[in-house]
Amino acid sequence: MSRLLKYVIELYDSQSIPHGVLIELTHICNLRCLHCYVPSYVRERTRNNLSVSSLKDVFRQLHDMGVLKVTLSGGEPLMRYDWYEIACAAKEENLYLSLFTNATCIDEVNANKIASLMPLEVEVSVYGGSKGVYDLATGRSGAFEAFARGLRLLKERDVSVFLKVVTMRETAKAYEETLRYAESIGFPIRVRFDPQLLLKADGANMHRLTDEEMVNIFLAEGLQGFYPQPLSKCSIGKKGLVIGPEGSLRPCIGFPQTIGNILSGSIAETWRGSHILRSLRALRDEDFYECIACEHNEFCTPCLVMNILETGSIVKPSQEHCRIAANRRAAYNMLRERREEDVSKGSKKD
């Protein structure tokens, strides 16, 4: 991180200015991913999406608040016929623009539009490295070809793209194949492996990895870039907001409560006055006493949304995160033992 960027972030944090806002343009999606937490009846709903004029007002408010970046997401944002007009409106307010897309709707026309926007970044999820795996994970025959085409068109136009590998139980055995494919595309991989999957509407998620699958992938990855570190809660309520398709305001994706609506009040007033945001900002690391006492806490990256969804309490740990931390610790210890053995064998040869 550059000194200038670090200074800007510290300045924003000191003045409680949100860095970025994610806007869900629609819940509609052309894929039916197995692990998706958004119910199918919501993904097919078209009513009550914010109008272009309402979104232009949102962008003006965010500019006045000093927000740096807007991320357009979904559902699949390109399913809206007016997505480009919306994106242009964000740029007109001098907001940095990011786009979250599955890339399957990117044809020549959309690729040219995206390139013309010069987005800060386009983030694309990778569900598989072959037709069989990708189409299984996304529930759509032919999706892999459309996905590969979209990435190729963005590559040809030199668009800044980051990839996120998504792994679930049905695709775990093909993880290395998927990763090799992602690496072959030539775009940076922002997320190589993240076992966290939110609960679905039925209160479960049968697509989560087993312990064995999770440990095996941690071992295959070598826990790249990971090292044990003191427990620290996430920054929910301090650095960003999510705006839903109908104008609802939430502190994070998946958060079960709304804190307001852009159609009934200003975003700045909600940001400053929401009692939910104030309570989130007041949380201290020591409030998570169960986590502090846990033997796996140096291997945990707690998600407060998962805490609420799974336990009803923001400070009571999600058992899924406890499981992930335990598996990460197990893999870390195995890798450390292997390295020590290798060092020992090398010393004996010398």
Side-chain angles (χ1 to χ4, degrees):
M1 182 185 297
S2 69
R3 290 184 178 180
L4 177 59
L5 180 57
K6 185 177 181 181
Y7 169 77
V8 171
I9 290 175
E10 290 176 350
L11 179 64
Y12 270 58
D13 289 346
S14 68
Q15 298 186 20
S16 296
I17 302 173
H19 302 184
V21 172
L22 185 144
I23 301 177
E24 299 169 324
L25 294 185
T26 179
H27 283 312
I28 299 172
C29 186
N30 58 321
L31 302 182
R32 292 295 178 267
C33 296
L34 297 175
H35 70 294
C36 185
Y37 61 89
V38 180
S40 59
Y41 67 86
V42 173
R43 292 198 299 264
E44 296 167 358
R45 188 169 60 196
T46 61
R47 302 187 308 274
N48 302 325
N49 286 343
L50 289 173
S51 66
V52 174
S53 61
S54 293
L55 286 164
K56 286 182 177 180
D57 181 60
V58 166
F59 298 142
R60 282 191 290 269
Q61 291 186 59
L62 297 181
H63 174 268
D64 291 345
M65 290 173 66
V67 171
L68 291 173
K69 183 180 78 168
V70 165
T71 299
L72 302 183
S73 181
E76 169 51 47
L78 271 61
M79 292 293 286
R80 278 193 64 154
Y81 73 92
D82 52 3
W83 74 268
Y84 182 67
E85 183 181 1
I86 294 167
C88 289
K91 294 283 288 187
E92 287 171 3
E93 292 295 339
N94 295 315
L95 295 163
Y96 286 113
L97 179 68
S98 293
L99 187 67
F100 285 1
T101 173
N102 60 41
T104 62
C105 295
I106 299 178
D107 54 14
E108 293 276 354
V109 173
N110 278 336
N112 287 334
K113 288 179 177 179
I114 292 172
S116 73
L117 291 167
M118 293 186 292
L120 184 66
E121 60 188 23
V122 176
E123 184 171 303
V124 181
S125 295
V126 182
Y127 299 107
S130 65
K131 173 179 172 56
V133 175
Y134 191 96
D135 290 5
L136 170 66
T138 59
R140 284 288 187 262
S141 177
F144 180 71
E145 287 89 345
F147 158 75
R149 176 200 63 199
L151 288 181
R152 174 179 56 80
L153 292 172
L154 293 179
K155 186 76 173 176
E156 291 172 355
R157 288 156 178 79
D158 200 27
V159 175
S160 176
V161 175
F162 290 89
L163 304 179
K164 178 174 65 176
V165 176
V166 179
T167 308
M168 61 195 82
R169 185 172 298 184
E170 290 79 1
T171 63
K173 291 182 179 179
Y175 171 75
E176 292 188 13
E177 172 194 76
T178 300
L179 188 62
R180 284 195 301 271
Y181 175 78
E183 291 172 337
S184 73
I185 299 171
F187 290 126
I189 302 174
R190 174 165 289 168
V191 178
R192 296 173 68 88
F193 176 55
D194 180 3
Q196 175 181 297
L197 297 179
L198 290 178
L199 291 177
K200 302 183 76 168
D202 60 4
N205 198 323
M206 61 184 290
H207 307 289
R208 287 173 170 173
L209 299 177
T210 65
D211 291 340
E212 181 180 5
E213 290 165 341
M214 197 184 302
V215 169
N216 285 340
I217 295 178
F218 277 138
L219 290 173
E221 274 298 281
L223 291 170
Q224 295 190 23
F226 176 82
Y227 55 92
Q229 52 194 317
L231 180 75
S232 178
K233 66 179 181 63
C234 66
S235 59
I236 186 172
K238 295 182 178 180
K239 297 185 178 182
L241 280 172
V242 175
I243 300 177
E246 74 295 339
S248 63
L249 288 163
R250 289 169 286 145
C252 187
I253 293 176
F255 196 83
Q257 295 173 276
T258 61
I259 59 173
N261 192 293
I262 65 104
L263 299 177
S264 58
S266 80
I267 300 172
E269 288 175 356
T270 302
W271 177 256
R272 291 192 300 266
S274 166
H275 71 278
I276 293 177
L277 289 181
R278 286 200 298 267
S279 65
L280 291 172
R281 293 165 186 158
L283 287 169
R284 304 164 300 170
D285 289 344
E286 51 265 36
D287 293 326
F288 299 82
Y289 55 90
E290 289 187 47
C291 296
I292 291 173
C294 177
E295 62 179 329
H296 307 306
N297 64 27
E298 290 186 328
F299 297 85
C300 191
T301 53
C303 169
L304 304 194
V305 169
M306 284 184 67
N307 285 359
I308 296 174
L309 293 176
E310 299 191 16
T311 72
S313 167
I314 200 160
V315 298
K316 187 174 179 60
S318 150
Q319 289 305 299
E320 177 63 6
H321 262 290
C322 295
R323 187 174 75 94
I324 293 171
N327 288 331
R328 186 181 285 115
R329 183 184 185 187
Y332 181 86
N333 289 336
M334 290 180 195
L335 290 169
R336 186 175 62 181
E337 290 172 4
R338 290 178 184 178
R339 285 193 292 267
E340 290 174 352
E341 289 177 2
D342 290 342
V343 170
S344 177
K345 290 177 181 177
S347 298
K348 290 179 180 179
K349 289 181 180 179
D350 295 340

